[in-house]
Amino acid sequence: MSTKSRLERRFADLKAQGRGGLVTFTTAGDPTFEASLELVLGLPGAGVDVIELGMPFSDPMADGPAIQASSLRALGAGMNLARTLDLVRRFRGTDEDTPIVLMGYYNPIHSYGVEAFLADAKAAGVDGLIVVDLPPEEDDELCLPALKAGIHWIRLATPTTDDKRLPSVLANTGGFVYYVSIMGITGTREVQADAVRVAVERLKRHSELPIAVGFGIKTPEQAASIARVADAAVVGSAIVERIKGGLDDGDRPRPAMVPDVLGFVRALAAGVRKARNG
Amino acid sequence: MTSLNTYRGGPDEGGHFGQFGGRFVAETLMPLILEVERAYTAAKADPSFQAEIDYFAKHYVGRPSPLYHAERITEHLRRGDKGAKIYFKRDELNHTGAHKINNCIGQMLLARRMGKKRIIAETGAGQHGVATATVCARFDLPCVIYMGEEDIERQKPNVFRMKLLGARVVPVTSGSRTLKDAMNEALRDWVANVDDTFYIIGTAAGPHPYPAMVRDFQCVIGNEVREQIMEMEGRGPDSLVACIGGGSNAIGLFHPFLDDKNVRIFGVEAAGLGLDTDKHAASLTGGRPGVLHGNRTYLLQSDDGQILEAHSISAGLDYPGIGPEHSWLKESGRVEYVSSSDAEALEAFQTCSRLEGILPALEPAHALAFVVKLAPTLPQDHLLVMNLCGRGDKDVFTVAEALGTEI
Ligand SMILES: Cc1ncc(COP(=O)(O)O)c(C=O)c1O
């Protein structure tokens, strides 16, 4: 058995292939548990390298309208944290290699109980956690227990994270660093590849970890331009918008929803794959 | 119940009051709240900052607000040889009609020191929005107020007031479209405009240093009470009562007295339609600890940790959380937290109007509703001070509707 984690193996593979990776974000349970599971099961085949799953929350402060709405759709359809872990478990039953990172806010985990959550998440096959409202100042809460449980803690670095703050942001971070490419919330502004290049170079001076860049990447072309300068591109709101586009008036998925979203993901994956050798 | 040397020592460096408080914010905001903390620490150490606050408190806000012996209410609540002597701290006489301006003056003067060029705020009842818009007009900074669509509907006079004062009022359509969502939206604005914007939070909640900073700006209430009652009665109060939304008027009254062991202190939450229903706003008496809006505190939440909608007839109490210092004061046992229902507050609103000639805001009407229950059980030499933290003009439409009257 390898001592490397799934995330470490995946980024090592990407490096060996000489290409940047594609990370997708969808909210677990959006629009329903079943449709969400079907979609997630299709992601690796569509070319996704790392799966990021949102843990639905009633008050997603760092998210824009698209992801807010997806969270509410999932909650409305009866999603909760236990079912999110169940979704991961079901996925893991079919795929041992694709890393899954859960992203969300602290309160549902706090409510579930930190120790119970970490044990259940580990058992379900969760590889990393991104918890937006837990900065380094609050590492005792969940970050350190997660590391002890063998789950990566993935921190967001942002344009406001100056050189003085970077070391504390990077300490305890593992798997990859998630660079937030815009000032603001998800799905609002468009990414600027040149600014990202500079930022990634700065991060690389402080860390050996792979750098994934997200917030504001909407098209295969943008994903490609980011994959050229970073280790992976994260696409969230644009996929979530596609999901919404595939719903009927009652927010139920139309039959074409999953194939359509996977088609879009395939285009993103193709963009990312062409980026370095095209 | 723990026994401490002082209840006034918090928060610690990380912004904790016991297990409560903290800095639970996204990384984008972290450098900002650290900057606010540094700036506030520096300002506190600079006597000219307090001098500026004092100047505006006196000449612009109209402080000190009177401590008023509410004689007719006192009489009304006498039972035999019982019935506490009731004083109102008249913060409803402040410019803009509530205690909120105390905090806005302080934060505005800090924002100016920091060179910020744009102000944002959330509001529920609209009182904090009006107070923020007021200081923005006075100090000539652009002002954006986030307000839930639901609250815009029930607080129309305040919405128009804010507009007259030159503020832009942005309706918030996300989530439950009330105060918590307005706060989410203000935080989203702040994340996107970190360079030039100062966020004036309206209550003693949010990430450190806000709970402590807002408390400090509101402590003028309790400090004045101490002086005034000494002058009028030659001694301190026996009990204090204040309503609690996020907890700023209450902590402002309570904090200076926390170490006066003989003073009983009561915080009154909104019980809405009743604590046994799901329509209330009593986070301390009906919720459990969680993390929201930058701090750990008592919250109304589902089994899954989803934040629930609060309900109160008073928009200013309609918040599913509470400032972290109150959570700590509850757990330490220093302050007793109780609640009043919509119906009780409505009744107290009318009693106060008829007996004292004062239309109270629906928020302090909740405090008064508890006083109505408490005072008759206390001896006549018992000095009770209630914070009358806002006036009721803004609520006349709500009250008329609740009473089935058309105006
Ligand atoms: C008059 C009045 N009292 C009380 C409150 C509740 O806030 P806090 O608990 O912070 O004093 C409000 C809030 O809008 C208010 O307008």
Side-chain angles (χ1 to χ4, degrees):
Chain A
M1 211 183 99
S2 151
T3 54
K4 278 191 172 169
S5 72
R6 235 181 243 121
L7 273 168
E8 286 161 346
R9 290 199 301 270
R10 179 53 48 101
F11 277 101
D13 283 355
L14 288 170
K15 194 165 185 182
Q17 291 173 38
R19 69 174 177 91
L22 174 65
V23 183
T24 56
F25 172 94
T26 54
T27 299
D30 173 30
T32 63
F33 181 91
E34 291 72 24
S36 181
L37 177 62
E38 186 189 341
L39 182 61
V40 172
L41 288 172
L43 291 175
V48 172
D49 299 299
V50 176
I51 295 174
E52 207 182 300
L53 275 182
M55 300 174 274
F57 183 47
S58 53
D59 292 77
M61 274 95 65
D63 286 298
I67 293 178
Q68 287 172 42
S70 77
S71 221
L72 292 180
R73 281 196 298 270
L75 292 173
M79 202 59 185
N80 59 32
L81 189 50
R83 300 192 77 200
T84 296
L85 295 179
D86 190 38
L87 199 151
V88 175
R89 194 175 306 116
R90 306 264 290 265
F91 174 85
R92 217 20 108 221
T94 70
D95 184 318
E96 255 303 312
D97 301 319
T98 309
I100 292 198
V101 171
L102 294 183
M103 177 164 186
Y105 298 81
Y106 186 32
N107 198 55
I109 297 170
H110 189 273
S111 176
Y112 194 102
V114 164
E115 292 305 324
F117 169 76
L118 290 173
D120 293 354
K122 183 72 189 171
V126 169
D127 301 291
L129 291 174
I130 303 174
V131 183
V132 177
D133 50 354
L134 285 175
E137 281 73 3
E138 304 291 351
D139 270 357
D140 290 344
E141 295 282 339
L142 183 62
C143 166
L144 299 180
L147 296 182
K148 240 167 74 195
I151 297 178
H152 285 299
W153 188 256
I154 295 151
R155 199 109 61 189
L156 304 180
T158 73
T160 58
T161 313
D162 56 21
D163 282 342
K164 221 167 86 220
R165 241 188 110 64
L166 251 186
S168 66
V169 166
L170 295 172
N172 297 328
T173 297
F176 63 94
V177 177
Y178 189 138
Y179 180 67
V180 173
S181 51
I182 54 163
M183 298 279 261
I185 53 179
T186 52
T188 47
R189 299 179 185 177
E190 301 230 339
V191 66
Q192 303 295 329
D194 288 343
V196 167
R197 179 195 304 272
V198 174
V200 169
E201 281 165 6
R202 181 168 76 98
L203 288 171
K204 292 274 184 195
R205 284 197 296 274
H206 289 267
S207 173
E208 314 237 289
L209 289 170
I211 315 286
V213 174
F215 283 40
I217 305 173
K218 293 180 190 308
T219 65
E221 293 70 34
Q222 285 168 340
S225 73
I226 294 304
R228 224 167 269 137
V229 299
D231 298 297
V234 189
V235 184
S237 296
I239 297 173
V240 168
E241 295 277 21
R242 283 273 166 154
I243 293 175
K244 183 174 170 219
L247 305 181
D248 67 18
D249 291 344
D251 278 348
R252 285 171 303 259
R254 294 201 180 92
M257 189 277 280
V258 171
D260 173 64
V261 174
L262 290 177
F264 178 58
V265 171
R266 235 172 261 120
L268 293 167
V272 165
R273 280 173 171 74
K274 276 204 307 258
R276 297 231 186 125
N277 36 27
Chain B
M1 176 166 160
T2 46
S3 185
L4 299 169
N5 292 331
T6 176
Y7 288 95
R8 306 180 67 223
D12 70 12
E13 250 175 57
H16 301 102
F17 302 91
Q19 63 154 318
F20 300 103
R23 286 182 284 222
F24 295 87
V25 298
E27 178 55 31
T28 324
L29 283 184
M30 235 8 252
L32 269 117
I33 65 166
L34 292 174
E35 186 196 355
V36 171
E37 185 187 347
R38 272 192 302 273
Y40 179 56
T41 306
K44 255 198 313 195
D46 176 356
S48 73
F49 182 62
Q50 189 57 48
E52 273 181 280
I53 292 179
D54 292 346
Y55 175 86
F56 286 100
K58 179 170 177 193
H59 299 284
Y60 191 66
V61 176
R63 302 210 71 92
S65 68
L67 184 67
Y68 163 71
H69 175 208
E71 235 172 310
R72 292 202 63 210
I73 292 254
T74 299
E75 237 164 72
H76 178 67
L77 298 176
R78 285 238 165 96
R79 302 287 180 274
D81 62 347
K82 298 273 191 196
K85 185 169 181 182
I86 296 163
Y87 279 93
F88 287 164
K89 179 59 173 166
R90 305 274 317 264
D91 253 53
E92 103 280 11
L93 292 176
N94 293 339
H95 179 42
T96 73
H99 65 291
K100 298 284 179 188
I101 189 88
N102 302 330
N103 169 46
C104 288
I105 292 281
Q107 288 197 49
M108 173 56 95
L109 292 173
L110 183 64
R112 285 215 315 174
R113 277 178 179 242
M114 294 173 71
K116 298 293 180 184
K117 296 278 179 272
R118 175 176 175 269
I119 299 293
I120 58 171
E122 85 295 340
T123 197
Q127 288 304 104
H128 175 59
V130 166
T132 303
T134 297
V135 296
C136 286
R138 172 60 185 77
F139 293 98
D140 193 22
L141 286 186
C143 176
V144 177
I145 304 290
Y146 290 94
M147 188 169 187
E149 236 181 11
E150 184 100 349
D151 291 332
I152 286 185
E153 191 47 45
R154 52 182 177 172
Q155 302 287 336
K156 283 185 191 140
N158 272 344
V159 175
F160 188 56
R161 247 171 233 143
M162 288 184 262
K163 289 181 180 164
L164 288 173
L165 291 161
R168 192 157 71 84
V169 180
V170 180
V172 174
T173 56
S174 57
S176 61
R177 292 173 287 131
T178 58
L179 181 53
K180 81 172 171 74
D181 311 283
M183 197 150 179
N184 290 335
E185 216 51 48
L187 286 167
R188 290 182 186 119
D189 178 314
W190 208 20
V191 169
N193 298 287
V194 290
D195 289 335
D196 64 342
T197 298
F198 189 96
Y199 179 12
I200 300 189
I201 295 183
T203 191
H208 180 61
Y210 281 93
M213 178 167 72
V214 174
R215 173 198 71 199
D216 294 348
F217 293 143
Q218 292 293 359
C219 274
V220 65
I221 299 171
N223 289 331
E224 285 177 6
V225 164
R226 183 186 289 285
E227 255 182 50
Q228 290 167 322
I229 201 157
M230 281 307 288
E231 198 171 292
M232 297 167 81
E233 296 280 354
R235 68 182 186 89
D238 296 305
S239 55
L240 305 172
V241 181
C243 68
I244 303 217
S248 69
N249 88 85
I251 201 74
L253 173 65
F254 299 169
H255 195 262
F257 293 99
L258 288 176
D259 288 339
D260 294 31
K261 296 268 156 37
N262 297 324
V263 180
R264 287 184 75 186
I265 305 182
F266 300 91
V268 186
E269 296 190 295
L273 301 183
L275 293 184
D276 51 348
T277 72
D278 61 359
K279 294 254 180 299
H280 64 79
S283 1
L284 284 178
T285 37
R288 62 193 170 88
V291 171
L292 180 71
H293 293 153
N295 65 100
R296 181 190 275 107
T297 193
Y298 274 73
L299 299 173
L300 300 180
Q301 54 182 317
S302 73
D303 291 344
D304 185 42
Q306 307 299 333
I307 309 305
L308 299 174
E309 283 179 43
H311 165 87
S312 169
I313 189 170
S314 131
L317 304 183
D318 205 348
Y319 179 63
I322 178 157
E325 194 164 10
H326 286 290
S327 291
W328 177 73
L329 289 169
K330 173 195 163 79
E331 293 217 333
S332 67
R334 177 62 187 97
V335 175
E336 295 167 65
Y337 292 91
V338 296
S339 62
S340 303
S341 69
D342 285 358
E344 291 167 328
L346 204 56
E347 186 68 38
F349 179 97
Q350 296 171 82
T351 306
C352 188
S353 303
R354 294 217 192 98
L355 292 181
E356 293 292 350
I358 299 171
L359 298 190
L362 279 170
E363 291 82 9
H366 284 73
L368 184 59
F370 176 69
V371 169
V372 166
K373 288 183 260 184
L374 177 68
T377 69
L378 300 168
Q380 292 192 3
D381 61 355
H382 184 104
L383 304 179
L384 185 158
V385 177
M386 187 200 94
N387 198 9
L388 216 177
C389 59
R391 66 172 187 233
D393 309 47
K394 70 179 172 63
D395 293 317
V396 293
F397 296 99
T398 308
V399 171
E401 194 185 315
L403 297 176
T405 311
E406 255 189 62
I407 47 176

